[in-house]
Amino acid sequence: MVEQVDVSARAAAIEYAIRDVVVPAVELEAQGHEIIRLNIGDPLAYDGLPTPDHMVTAFKAALDRQDNGYGPSYGIPELRHAITSRERSKGWDCSTDDVYVTHGVTEALQIIFAAFLEEGDTVLAPGPHYPPYMAYPQMYGGTTVEYRLDPDDGWRIDLDDISAKMDDSVRLLVLINPNNPTGNVATPEEVDALIEIASLWPKCTIIADEIYDGLDFTGQQCSVASRSEEVPVIVLNGASKVYFAPGWRVGYMAWHDPQGRLELVRDGVERLLRSRLCASTPAQHGFLAGLTDDTGWLEGHRATIRKRMDYCLDRIETIEGLDCEAPGGAFYLFVSITNPKMAADDKRFVLDLLHQYHVLLVHGSGFSPEFGQGHFRMVCLPPVEVLAEAFDRIEAFLRG
Ligand SMILES: Cc1ncc(COP(=O)(O)O)c(C=O)c1O
């Protein structure tokens, strides 16, 4: 037996439920089974939701003119300007210096956690949440504590729970709006109340993950930065969801720091950004076209998603054993398994469904051990015929 080299505890602890469940799915595919994959929030994986042509053309044009070199560490100037305009249009005084282009929001998160967190610090994040909010902070000595989203009230933010969990160790308070996995959209009043709570804790900065902002079906989604006069807010967004180009790996953070509290941490962030060189140059040109050209095309994509989401909600309503709070935005459903025996082990539920009926979901506890248990997350991005087949299989599985 070869003696194994040790893995670090920090790497061994990383979990990403959305892709971890793909491992058994790939094994089944290798045996010749066709799996309906409803696990990953990638619109390009399904028919009918392509990256817009003008963005693809701009990406290709950058390649053709050999714009393939390293770019500036904070992003190409034209893109930083366009992002600034986008953020200003949402009602806050963003300047180009406030904008940093990254390899997607996911890289921005790693950089933010690396710059903010020391041993013993806390990130207060919604439960349930997008998994990196739990996985990454521990790499920098931090701990993620979850605040409760109310499962019986559309996964609304429990503001009392946030208040109860705030203390001086909370360096970052996270709002994902619209939320992944629940689809809840916070009202402007809830956003104001959250800012009010944060304002009592001067070491606290808000992370506003607004990557699904254009997929709000309630009409009430608002920019957190536009509503904060004192509390620092780091806005996160990018090309992945609303511009339908997740594989390009382009995103940004925009820093709203009205009182100038973050100068030191910002210096750290800029050092980290310089040390990782830059984001993909041609992809930045593609995203730039998305930001500067007409966005009328988005209505069609939104309507497609809405139709598919409504179909899923209708089906769930007729299936005994499932229940779901209707989402206000994004493209996920966070479905409650109502049979207590099945709900007790949601990962088992997902794996059994996968092995027996070849439908791939993600277990709810992968989005929050505390608040996600007894649920699964599915994307409602595939065409209705695919969703229909998936629900037929889920229904058969539940009937046993
Ligand atoms: C809330 C949220 N933030 C960030 C991301 C990832 O963003 P990016 O592709 O820009 O890294 C996702 C992807 O599913 C997400 O759901």
Side-chain angles (χ1 to χ4, degrees), residues 16 18 41 102-107 109 130 132-133 176-180 209 211-212 236-241 246 249-252 331-332 377:
Y16 188 78
I18 300 162
T102 56
H103 270 115
V105 165
T106 311
E107 190 201 30
L109 283 178
Y130 175 56
Y133 285 101
I176 305 171
N177 191 31
N179 179 276
N180 171 14
D209 184 335
I211 196 161
Y212 299 99
L236 301 178
N237 214 318
S240 291
K241 308 297 180 179
R249 310 308 303 126
V250 193
Y252 66 86
F331 40 56
Y332 308 101
R377 189 196 79 167

PDB file of all heavy atoms in Angstrom, residues 16 18 41 102-107 109 130 132-133 176-180 209 211-212 236-241 246 249-252 331-332 377, ligand 1:
ATOM      1  N   TYR A  16     -19.623  20.957  -1.871  1.00  0.00           N
ATOM      2  CA  TYR A  16     -20.409  21.754  -2.794  1.00  0.00           C
ATOM      3  C   TYR A  16     -21.488  20.818  -3.303  1.00  0.00           C
ATOM      4  O   TYR A  16     -21.299  20.119  -4.304  1.00  0.00           O
ATOM      5  CB  TYR A  16     -19.505  22.294  -3.914  1.00  0.00           C
ATOM      6  CG  TYR A  16     -20.211  23.298  -4.806  1.00  0.00           C
ATOM      7  CD1 TYR A  16     -20.391  24.616  -4.385  1.00  0.00           C
ATOM      8  CD2 TYR A  16     -20.698  22.934  -6.045  1.00  0.00           C
ATOM      9  CE1 TYR A  16     -21.050  25.542  -5.198  1.00  0.00           C
ATOM     10  CE2 TYR A  16     -21.349  23.855  -6.859  1.00  0.00           C
ATOM     11  CZ  TYR A  16     -21.515  25.156  -6.427  1.00  0.00           C
ATOM     12  OH  TYR A  16     -22.165  26.068  -7.230  1.00  0.00           O
ATOM     13  N   ILE A  18     -24.141  20.881  -4.905  1.00  0.00           N
ATOM     14  CA  ILE A  18     -24.698  20.939  -6.263  1.00  0.00           C
ATOM     15  C   ILE A  18     -23.895  20.087  -7.237  1.00  0.00           C
ATOM     16  O   ILE A  18     -24.437  19.469  -8.152  1.00  0.00           O
ATOM     17  CB  ILE A  18     -24.728  22.416  -6.735  1.00  0.00           C
ATOM     18  CG1 ILE A  18     -25.595  23.250  -5.785  1.00  0.00           C
ATOM     19  CG2 ILE A  18     -25.213  22.525  -8.169  1.00  0.00           C
ATOM     20  CD1 ILE A  18     -25.373  24.751  -5.877  1.00  0.00           C
ATOM     21  N   GLY A  41     -27.624  25.316 -11.672  1.00  0.00           N
ATOM     22  CA  GLY A  41     -28.258  26.558 -12.123  1.00  0.00           C
ATOM     23  C   GLY A  41     -27.572  27.126 -13.347  1.00  0.00           C
ATOM     24  O   GLY A  41     -27.098  28.266 -13.330  1.00  0.00           O
ATOM     25  N   THR A 102     -14.068  40.283 -11.572  1.00  0.00           N
ATOM     26  CA  THR A 102     -13.499  39.026 -11.050  1.00  0.00           C
ATOM     27  C   THR A 102     -13.899  37.843 -11.952  1.00  0.00           C
ATOM     28  O   THR A 102     -14.726  37.986 -12.843  1.00  0.00           O
ATOM     29  CB  THR A 102     -14.053  38.752  -9.629  1.00  0.00           C
ATOM     30  OG1 THR A 102     -15.474  38.739  -9.705  1.00  0.00           O
ATOM     31  CG2 THR A 102     -13.582  39.807  -8.642  1.00  0.00           C
ATOM     32  N   HIS A 103     -13.303  36.700 -11.614  1.00  0.00           N
ATOM     33  CA  HIS A 103     -13.695  35.445 -12.271  1.00  0.00           C
ATOM     34  C   HIS A 103     -15.014  34.977 -11.679  1.00  0.00           C
ATOM     35  O   HIS A 103     -15.080  33.965 -10.966  1.00  0.00           O
ATOM     36  CB  HIS A 103     -12.652  34.360 -11.986  1.00  0.00           C
ATOM     37  CG  HIS A 103     -11.559  34.297 -12.978  1.00  0.00           C
ATOM     38  ND1 HIS A 103     -10.258  34.572 -12.671  1.00  0.00           N
ATOM     39  CD2 HIS A 103     -11.584  34.003 -14.288  1.00  0.00           C
ATOM     40  CE1 HIS A 103      -9.532  34.449 -13.755  1.00  0.00           C
ATOM     41  NE2 HIS A 103     -10.300  34.108 -14.750  1.00  0.00           N
ATOM     42  N   GLY A 104     -16.046  35.723 -11.914  1.00  0.00           N
ATOM     43  CA  GLY A 104     -17.347  35.371 -11.348  1.00  0.00           C
ATOM     44  C   GLY A 104     -17.459  35.838  -9.907  1.00  0.00           C
ATOM     45  O   GLY A 104     -16.460  36.191  -9.256  1.00  0.00           O
ATOM     46  N   VAL A 105     -18.689  35.808  -9.430  1.00  0.00           N
ATOM     47  CA  VAL A 105     -18.958  36.170  -8.032  1.00  0.00           C
ATOM     48  C   VAL A 105     -18.210  35.228  -7.097  1.00  0.00           C
ATOM     49  O   VAL A 105     -17.761  35.611  -6.017  1.00  0.00           O
ATOM     50  CB  VAL A 105     -20.489  36.108  -7.782  1.00  0.00           C
ATOM     51  CG1 VAL A 105     -20.824  36.105  -6.305  1.00  0.00           C
ATOM     52  CG2 VAL A 105     -21.179  37.274  -8.481  1.00  0.00           C
ATOM     53  N   THR A 106     -18.046  33.990  -7.527  1.00  0.00           N
ATOM     54  CA  THR A 106     -17.393  32.995  -6.673  1.00  0.00           C
ATOM     55  C   THR A 106     -15.965  33.413  -6.319  1.00  0.00           C
ATOM     56  O   THR A 106     -15.540  33.278  -5.170  1.00  0.00           O
ATOM     57  CB  THR A 106     -17.421  31.625  -7.385  1.00  0.00           C
ATOM     58  OG1 THR A 106     -18.760  31.397  -7.830  1.00  0.00           O
ATOM     59  CG2 THR A 106     -17.016  30.511  -6.468  1.00  0.00           C
ATOM     60  N   GLU A 107     -15.235  33.961  -7.295  1.00  0.00           N
ATOM     61  CA  GLU A 107     -13.889  34.434  -6.957  1.00  0.00           C
ATOM     62  C   GLU A 107     -13.970  35.665  -6.059  1.00  0.00           C
ATOM     63  O   GLU A 107     -13.180  35.814  -5.123  1.00  0.00           O
ATOM     64  CB  GLU A 107     -13.074  34.765  -8.221  1.00  0.00           C
ATOM     65  CG  GLU A 107     -11.621  35.008  -7.835  1.00  0.00           C
ATOM     66  CD  GLU A 107     -10.811  35.814  -8.842  1.00  0.00           C
ATOM     67  OE1 GLU A 107     -11.383  36.667  -9.556  1.00  0.00           O
ATOM     68  OE2 GLU A 107      -9.586  35.628  -8.891  1.00  0.00           O
ATOM     69  N   LEU A 109     -16.070  36.279  -3.830  1.00  0.00           N
ATOM     70  CA  LEU A 109     -16.328  35.824  -2.457  1.00  0.00           C
ATOM     71  C   LEU A 109     -15.040  35.366  -1.776  1.00  0.00           C
ATOM     72  O   LEU A 109     -14.776  35.711  -0.627  1.00  0.00           O
ATOM     73  CB  LEU A 109     -17.323  34.648  -2.469  1.00  0.00           C
ATOM     74  CG  LEU A 109     -18.779  35.010  -2.684  1.00  0.00           C
ATOM     75  CD1 LEU A 109     -19.634  33.753  -2.727  1.00  0.00           C
ATOM     76  CD2 LEU A 109     -19.259  35.939  -1.579  1.00  0.00           C
ATOM     77  N   TYR A 130     -26.593  29.736  -0.893  1.00  0.00           N
ATOM     78  CA  TYR A 130     -25.684  29.196  -1.915  1.00  0.00           C
ATOM     79  C   TYR A 130     -24.428  28.657  -1.185  1.00  0.00           C
ATOM     80  O   TYR A 130     -23.805  29.386  -0.401  1.00  0.00           O
ATOM     81  CB  TYR A 130     -25.358  30.339  -2.877  1.00  0.00           C
ATOM     82  CG  TYR A 130     -24.345  30.047  -3.940  1.00  0.00           C
ATOM     83  CD1 TYR A 130     -24.511  28.984  -4.810  1.00  0.00           C
ATOM     84  CD2 TYR A 130     -23.229  30.859  -4.079  1.00  0.00           C
ATOM     85  CE1 TYR A 130     -23.564  28.734  -5.787  1.00  0.00           C
ATOM     86  CE2 TYR A 130     -22.287  30.617  -5.064  1.00  0.00           C
ATOM     87  CZ  TYR A 130     -22.462  29.546  -5.913  1.00  0.00           C
ATOM     88  OH  TYR A 130     -21.528  29.292  -6.882  1.00  0.00           O
ATOM     89  N   PRO A 132     -21.099  28.147  -1.246  1.00  0.00           N
ATOM     90  CA  PRO A 132     -19.803  28.742  -0.911  1.00  0.00           C
ATOM     91  C   PRO A 132     -19.837  29.701   0.287  1.00  0.00           C
ATOM     92  O   PRO A 132     -18.804  29.941   0.919  1.00  0.00           O
ATOM     93  CB  PRO A 132     -19.417  29.506  -2.189  1.00  0.00           C
ATOM     94  CG  PRO A 132     -20.069  28.718  -3.272  1.00  0.00           C
ATOM     95  CD  PRO A 132     -21.388  28.285  -2.694  1.00  0.00           C
ATOM     96  N   TYR A 133     -21.006  30.212   0.623  1.00  0.00           N
ATOM     97  CA  TYR A 133     -21.071  31.084   1.807  1.00  0.00           C
ATOM     98  C   TYR A 133     -20.770  30.316   3.085  1.00  0.00           C
ATOM     99  O   TYR A 133     -20.438  30.910   4.099  1.00  0.00           O
ATOM    100  CB  TYR A 133     -22.444  31.772   1.901  1.00  0.00           C
ATOM    101  CG  TYR A 133     -22.588  32.885   0.889  1.00  0.00           C
ATOM    102  CD1 TYR A 133     -23.301  32.700  -0.291  1.00  0.00           C
ATOM    103  CD2 TYR A 133     -21.963  34.107   1.095  1.00  0.00           C
ATOM    104  CE1 TYR A 133     -23.395  33.713  -1.233  1.00  0.00           C
ATOM    105  CE2 TYR A 133     -22.054  35.117   0.157  1.00  0.00           C
ATOM    106  CZ  TYR A 133     -22.768  34.915  -1.001  1.00  0.00           C
ATOM    107  OH  TYR A 133     -22.846  35.924  -1.939  1.00  0.00           O
ATOM    108  N   ILE A 176     -28.770  37.447  -0.040  1.00  0.00           N
ATOM    109  CA  ILE A 176     -28.819  36.958  -1.427  1.00  0.00           C
ATOM    110  C   ILE A 176     -30.223  37.300  -1.924  1.00  0.00           C
ATOM    111  O   ILE A 176     -31.211  36.779  -1.401  1.00  0.00           O
ATOM    112  CB  ILE A 176     -28.568  35.443  -1.503  1.00  0.00           C
ATOM    113  CG1 ILE A 176     -27.238  35.077  -0.831  1.00  0.00           C
ATOM    114  CG2 ILE A 176     -28.592  34.962  -2.949  1.00  0.00           C
ATOM    115  CD1 ILE A 176     -27.009  33.568  -0.675  1.00  0.00           C
ATOM    116  N   ASN A 177     -30.312  38.174  -2.917  1.00  0.00           N
ATOM    117  CA  ASN A 177     -31.617  38.743  -3.260  1.00  0.00           C
ATOM    118  C   ASN A 177     -31.754  38.977  -4.762  1.00  0.00           C
ATOM    119  O   ASN A 177     -31.110  39.884  -5.291  1.00  0.00           O
ATOM    120  CB  ASN A 177     -31.778  40.075  -2.507  1.00  0.00           C
ATOM    121  CG  ASN A 177     -33.186  40.616  -2.582  1.00  0.00           C
ATOM    122  OD1 ASN A 177     -34.144  39.860  -2.656  1.00  0.00           O
ATOM    123  ND2 ASN A 177     -33.309  41.926  -2.591  1.00  0.00           N
ATOM    124  N   PRO A 178     -32.602  38.186  -5.481  1.00  0.00           N
ATOM    125  CA  PRO A 178     -33.359  37.023  -5.035  1.00  0.00           C
ATOM    126  C   PRO A 178     -32.443  35.912  -4.506  1.00  0.00           C
ATOM    127  O   PRO A 178     -31.294  35.812  -4.916  1.00  0.00           O
ATOM    128  CB  PRO A 178     -34.077  36.562  -6.305  1.00  0.00           C
ATOM    129  CG  PRO A 178     -34.121  37.747  -7.201  1.00  0.00           C
ATOM    130  CD  PRO A 178     -32.888  38.535  -6.890  1.00  0.00           C
ATOM    131  N   ASN A 179     -33.033  35.100  -3.635  1.00  0.00           N
ATOM    132  CA  ASN A 179     -32.233  34.070  -2.965  1.00  0.00           C
ATOM    133  C   ASN A 179     -32.102  32.805  -3.808  1.00  0.00           C
ATOM    134  O   ASN A 179     -33.031  32.402  -4.496  1.00  0.00           O
ATOM    135  CB  ASN A 179     -32.900  33.728  -1.617  1.00  0.00           C
ATOM    136  CG  ASN A 179     -32.158  32.649  -0.845  1.00  0.00           C
ATOM    137  OD1 ASN A 179     -32.340  31.456  -1.076  1.00  0.00           O
ATOM    138  ND2 ASN A 179     -31.302  33.055   0.058  1.00  0.00           N
ATOM    139  N   ASN A 180     -30.942  32.209  -3.767  1.00  0.00           N
ATOM    140  CA  ASN A 180     -30.714  30.828  -4.185  1.00  0.00           C
ATOM    141  C   ASN A 180     -30.470  30.056  -2.897  1.00  0.00           C
ATOM    142  O   ASN A 180     -29.556  30.450  -2.157  1.00  0.00           O
ATOM    143  CB  ASN A 180     -29.484  30.742  -5.099  1.00  0.00           C
ATOM    144  CG  ASN A 180     -29.069  29.315  -5.396  1.00  0.00           C
ATOM    145  OD1 ASN A 180     -29.806  28.379  -5.153  1.00  0.00           O
ATOM    146  ND2 ASN A 180     -27.869  29.152  -5.932  1.00  0.00           N
ATOM    147  N   ASP A 209     -25.590  39.987  -2.579  1.00  0.00           N
ATOM    148  CA  ASP A 209     -25.427  39.141  -3.762  1.00  0.00           C
ATOM    149  C   ASP A 209     -26.693  39.299  -4.607  1.00  0.00           C
ATOM    150  O   ASP A 209     -27.750  38.747  -4.281  1.00  0.00           O
ATOM    151  CB  ASP A 209     -25.208  37.688  -3.312  1.00  0.00           C
ATOM    152  CG  ASP A 209     -24.920  36.746  -4.471  1.00  0.00           C
ATOM    153  OD1 ASP A 209     -25.324  37.051  -5.612  1.00  0.00           O
ATOM    154  OD2 ASP A 209     -24.306  35.684  -4.231  1.00  0.00           O
ATOM    155  N   ILE A 211     -27.013  38.623  -7.944  1.00  0.00           N
ATOM    156  CA  ILE A 211     -26.722  37.995  -9.237  1.00  0.00           C
ATOM    157  C   ILE A 211     -27.990  37.580 -10.002  1.00  0.00           C
ATOM    158  O   ILE A 211     -27.956  37.392 -11.214  1.00  0.00           O
ATOM    159  CB  ILE A 211     -25.733  36.813  -9.064  1.00  0.00           C
ATOM    160  CG1 ILE A 211     -25.133  36.415 -10.409  1.00  0.00           C
ATOM    161  CG2 ILE A 211     -26.380  35.628  -8.368  1.00  0.00           C
ATOM    162  CD1 ILE A 211     -23.873  35.613 -10.339  1.00  0.00           C
ATOM    163  N   TYR A 212     -29.123  37.489  -9.288  1.00  0.00           N
ATOM    164  CA  TYR A 212     -30.399  37.170  -9.974  1.00  0.00           C
ATOM    165  C   TYR A 212     -31.291  38.401 -10.103  1.00  0.00           C
ATOM    166  O   TYR A 212     -32.507  38.268 -10.256  1.00  0.00           O
ATOM    167  CB  TYR A 212     -31.146  36.070  -9.203  1.00  0.00           C
ATOM    168  CG  TYR A 212     -30.382  34.770  -9.109  1.00  0.00           C
ATOM    169  CD1 TYR A 212     -29.665  34.440  -7.964  1.00  0.00           C
ATOM    170  CD2 TYR A 212     -30.349  33.879 -10.180  1.00  0.00           C
ATOM    171  CE1 TYR A 212     -28.945  33.254  -7.876  1.00  0.00           C
ATOM    172  CE2 TYR A 212     -29.632  32.691 -10.104  1.00  0.00           C
ATOM    173  CZ  TYR A 212     -28.926  32.389  -8.959  1.00  0.00           C
ATOM    174  OH  TYR A 212     -28.209  31.219  -8.878  1.00  0.00           O
ATOM    175  N   LEU A 236     -22.533  42.254  -5.347  1.00  0.00           N
ATOM    176  CA  LEU A 236     -21.975  41.200  -6.200  1.00  0.00           C
ATOM    177  C   LEU A 236     -22.929  40.920  -7.358  1.00  0.00           C
ATOM    178  O   LEU A 236     -24.149  40.833  -7.157  1.00  0.00           O
ATOM    179  CB  LEU A 236     -21.788  39.916  -5.394  1.00  0.00           C
ATOM    180  CG  LEU A 236     -20.866  40.012  -4.174  1.00  0.00           C
ATOM    181  CD1 LEU A 236     -20.819  38.665  -3.453  1.00  0.00           C
ATOM    182  CD2 LEU A 236     -19.467  40.437  -4.585  1.00  0.00           C
ATOM    183  N   ASN A 237     -22.347  40.786  -8.539  1.00  0.00           N
ATOM    184  CA  ASN A 237     -23.176  40.490  -9.708  1.00  0.00           C
ATOM    185  C   ASN A 237     -22.272  39.996 -10.835  1.00  0.00           C
ATOM    186  O   ASN A 237     -21.058  39.896 -10.652  1.00  0.00           O
ATOM    187  CB  ASN A 237     -23.964  41.734 -10.130  1.00  0.00           C
ATOM    188  CG  ASN A 237     -25.328  41.373 -10.681  1.00  0.00           C
ATOM    189  OD1 ASN A 237     -25.464  40.413 -11.436  1.00  0.00           O
ATOM    190  ND2 ASN A 237     -26.346  42.125 -10.296  1.00  0.00           N
ATOM    191  N   GLY A 238     -22.849  39.689 -11.996  1.00  0.00           N
ATOM    192  CA  GLY A 238     -21.994  39.207 -13.082  1.00  0.00           C
ATOM    193  C   GLY A 238     -22.761  38.713 -14.286  1.00  0.00           C
ATOM    194  O   GLY A 238     -23.966  38.946 -14.417  1.00  0.00           O
ATOM    195  N   ALA A 239     -22.026  38.008 -15.138  1.00  0.00           N
ATOM    196  CA  ALA A 239     -22.562  37.571 -16.427  1.00  0.00           C
ATOM    197  C   ALA A 239     -23.338  36.253 -16.332  1.00  0.00           C
ATOM    198  O   ALA A 239     -24.046  35.878 -17.261  1.00  0.00           O
ATOM    199  CB  ALA A 239     -21.409  37.385 -17.415  1.00  0.00           C
ATOM    200  N   SER A 240     -23.209  35.544 -15.190  1.00  0.00           N
ATOM    201  CA  SER A 240     -23.633  34.146 -15.166  1.00  0.00           C
ATOM    202  C   SER A 240     -25.131  33.919 -15.303  1.00  0.00           C
ATOM    203  O   SER A 240     -25.559  32.991 -15.987  1.00  0.00           O
ATOM    204  CB  SER A 240     -23.166  33.478 -13.871  1.00  0.00           C
ATOM    205  OG  SER A 240     -21.767  33.349 -13.876  1.00  0.00           O
ATOM    206  N   LYS A 241     -25.942  34.711 -14.628  1.00  0.00           N
ATOM    207  CA  LYS A 241     -27.365  34.358 -14.534  1.00  0.00           C
ATOM    208  C   LYS A 241     -28.228  35.239 -15.436  1.00  0.00           C
ATOM    209  O   LYS A 241     -28.939  34.734 -16.294  1.00  0.00           O
ATOM    210  CB  LYS A 241     -27.829  34.466 -13.075  1.00  0.00           C
ATOM    211  CG  LYS A 241     -26.947  33.705 -12.086  1.00  0.00           C
ATOM    212  CD  LYS A 241     -26.930  32.205 -12.309  1.00  0.00           C
ATOM    213  CE  LYS A 241     -26.026  31.525 -11.279  1.00  0.00           C
ATOM    214  NZ  LYS A 241     -25.968  30.082 -11.395  1.00  0.00           N
ATOM    215  N   PRO A 246     -22.727  31.731 -17.872  1.00  0.00           N
ATOM    216  CA  PRO A 246     -22.017  31.295 -16.660  1.00  0.00           C
ATOM    217  C   PRO A 246     -20.631  30.724 -16.930  1.00  0.00           C
ATOM    218  O   PRO A 246     -19.739  30.850 -16.099  1.00  0.00           O
ATOM    219  CB  PRO A 246     -22.949  30.239 -16.050  1.00  0.00           C
ATOM    220  CG  PRO A 246     -23.822  29.776 -17.177  1.00  0.00           C
ATOM    221  CD  PRO A 246     -23.976  30.964 -18.085  1.00  0.00           C
ATOM    222  N   ARG A 249     -17.177  32.918 -16.817  1.00  0.00           N
ATOM    223  CA  ARG A 249     -16.548  33.217 -15.528  1.00  0.00           C
ATOM    224  C   ARG A 249     -16.190  34.703 -15.399  1.00  0.00           C
ATOM    225  O   ARG A 249     -15.036  35.070 -15.193  1.00  0.00           O
ATOM    226  CB  ARG A 249     -15.312  32.328 -15.274  1.00  0.00           C
ATOM    227  CG  ARG A 249     -15.493  30.842 -15.477  1.00  0.00           C
ATOM    228  CD  ARG A 249     -16.692  30.265 -14.716  1.00  0.00           C
ATOM    229  NE  ARG A 249     -16.649  30.508 -13.302  1.00  0.00           N
ATOM    230  CZ  ARG A 249     -17.668  31.093 -12.619  1.00  0.00           C
ATOM    231  NH1 ARG A 249     -18.785  31.457 -13.224  1.00  0.00           N
ATOM    232  NH2 ARG A 249     -17.546  31.308 -11.344  1.00  0.00           N
ATOM    233  N   VAL A 250     -17.180  35.542 -15.587  1.00  0.00           N
ATOM    234  CA  VAL A 250     -16.980  36.977 -15.356  1.00  0.00           C
ATOM    235  C   VAL A 250     -18.033  37.483 -14.380  1.00  0.00           C
ATOM    236  O   VAL A 250     -19.229  37.225 -14.556  1.00  0.00           O
ATOM    237  CB  VAL A 250     -17.121  37.830 -16.635  1.00  0.00           C
ATOM    238  CG1 VAL A 250     -16.593  39.240 -16.363  1.00  0.00           C
ATOM    239  CG2 VAL A 250     -16.379  37.249 -17.779  1.00  0.00           C
ATOM    240  N   GLY A 251     -17.564  38.194 -13.385  1.00  0.00           N
ATOM    241  CA  GLY A 251     -18.472  38.812 -12.428  1.00  0.00           C
ATOM    242  C   GLY A 251     -17.828  40.071 -11.889  1.00  0.00           C
ATOM    243  O   GLY A 251     -16.774  40.499 -12.372  1.00  0.00           O
ATOM    244  N   TYR A 252     -18.472  40.664 -10.912  1.00  0.00           N
ATOM    245  CA  TYR A 252     -17.860  41.868 -10.324  1.00  0.00           C
ATOM    246  C   TYR A 252     -18.297  42.066  -8.887  1.00  0.00           C
ATOM    247  O   TYR A 252     -19.306  41.512  -8.445  1.00  0.00           O
ATOM    248  CB  TYR A 252     -18.194  43.112 -11.149  1.00  0.00           C
ATOM    249  CG  TYR A 252     -19.644  43.563 -11.190  1.00  0.00           C
ATOM    250  CD1 TYR A 252     -20.166  44.398 -10.198  1.00  0.00           C
ATOM    251  CD2 TYR A 252     -20.485  43.185 -12.227  1.00  0.00           C
ATOM    252  CE1 TYR A 252     -21.491  44.849 -10.255  1.00  0.00           C
ATOM    253  CE2 TYR A 252     -21.803  43.623 -12.291  1.00  0.00           C
ATOM    254  CZ  TYR A 252     -22.299  44.454 -11.304  1.00  0.00           C
ATOM    255  OH  TYR A 252     -23.604  44.888 -11.361  1.00  0.00           O
ATOM    256  N   PHE A 331     -34.346  30.957 -10.571  1.00  0.00           N
ATOM    257  CA  PHE A 331     -34.921  29.852 -11.364  1.00  0.00           C
ATOM    258  C   PHE A 331     -34.837  28.508 -10.653  1.00  0.00           C
ATOM    259  O   PHE A 331     -34.576  27.483 -11.273  1.00  0.00           O
ATOM    260  CB  PHE A 331     -34.332  29.789 -12.773  1.00  0.00           C
ATOM    261  CG  PHE A 331     -32.851  30.060 -12.903  1.00  0.00           C
ATOM    262  CD1 PHE A 331     -31.928  29.319 -12.200  1.00  0.00           C
ATOM    263  CD2 PHE A 331     -32.396  31.048 -13.772  1.00  0.00           C
ATOM    264  CE1 PHE A 331     -30.569  29.542 -12.340  1.00  0.00           C
ATOM    265  CE2 PHE A 331     -31.026  31.304 -13.932  1.00  0.00           C
ATOM    266  CZ  PHE A 331     -30.113  30.542 -13.217  1.00  0.00           C
ATOM    267  N   TYR A 332     -35.067  28.571  -9.347  1.00  0.00           N
ATOM    268  CA  TYR A 332     -35.030  27.349  -8.538  1.00  0.00           C
ATOM    269  C   TYR A 332     -36.345  27.147  -7.809  1.00  0.00           C
ATOM    270  O   TYR A 332     -37.073  28.104  -7.555  1.00  0.00           O
ATOM    271  CB  TYR A 332     -33.928  27.453  -7.479  1.00  0.00           C
ATOM    272  CG  TYR A 332     -32.581  27.828  -8.032  1.00  0.00           C
ATOM    273  CD1 TYR A 332     -32.114  29.137  -7.930  1.00  0.00           C
ATOM    274  CD2 TYR A 332     -31.780  26.879  -8.649  1.00  0.00           C
ATOM    275  CE1 TYR A 332     -30.873  29.493  -8.439  1.00  0.00           C
ATOM    276  CE2 TYR A 332     -30.541  27.223  -9.159  1.00  0.00           C
ATOM    277  CZ  TYR A 332     -30.088  28.525  -9.062  1.00  0.00           C
ATOM    278  OH  TYR A 332     -28.866  28.863  -9.564  1.00  0.00           O
ATOM    279  N   ARG A 377     -33.630  20.847  -3.817  1.00  0.00           N
ATOM    280  CA  ARG A 377     -33.662  21.963  -4.761  1.00  0.00           C
ATOM    281  C   ARG A 377     -33.651  21.418  -6.165  1.00  0.00           C
ATOM    282  O   ARG A 377     -32.895  20.494  -6.474  1.00  0.00           O
ATOM    283  CB  ARG A 377     -32.460  22.891  -4.586  1.00  0.00           C
ATOM    284  CG  ARG A 377     -32.627  24.166  -5.424  1.00  0.00           C
ATOM    285  CD  ARG A 377     -31.318  24.936  -5.586  1.00  0.00           C
ATOM    286  NE  ARG A 377     -30.469  24.343  -6.614  1.00  0.00           N
ATOM    287  CZ  ARG A 377     -29.388  24.943  -7.131  1.00  0.00           C
ATOM    288  NH1 ARG A 377     -29.029  26.130  -6.694  1.00  0.00           N
ATOM    289  NH2 ARG A 377     -28.665  24.330  -8.063  1.00  0.00           N
TER     290      ARG A 377
HETATM  291  C1  LIG B   1     -26.374  33.345  -5.118  1.00  0.00           C
HETATM  292  C2  LIG B   1     -25.282  32.989  -6.067  1.00  0.00           C
HETATM  293  N1  LIG B   1     -24.168  33.736  -6.073  1.00  0.00           N
HETATM  294  C3  LIG B   1     -23.156  33.453  -6.920  1.00  0.00           C
HETATM  295  C4  LIG B   1     -23.230  32.386  -7.799  1.00  0.00           C
HETATM  296  C5  LIG B   1     -22.079  32.077  -8.709  1.00  0.00           C
HETATM  297  O1  LIG B   1     -21.776  33.172  -9.473  1.00  0.00           O
HETATM  298  P1  LIG B   1     -20.601  33.137 -10.549  1.00  0.00           P
HETATM  299  O2  LIG B   1     -20.984  32.228 -11.651  1.00  0.00           O
HETATM  300  O3  LIG B   1     -20.527  34.579 -10.980  1.00  0.00           O
HETATM  301  O4  LIG B   1     -19.380  32.695  -9.824  1.00  0.00           O
HETATM  302  C6  LIG B   1     -24.365  31.584  -7.810  1.00  0.00           C
HETATM  303  C7  LIG B   1     -24.436  30.404  -8.720  1.00  0.00           C
HETATM  304  O5  LIG B   1     -25.298  29.584  -8.678  1.00  0.00           O
HETATM  305  C8  LIG B   1     -25.409  31.896  -6.931  1.00  0.00           C
HETATM  306  O6  LIG B   1     -26.521  31.176  -6.904  1.00  0.00           O
END
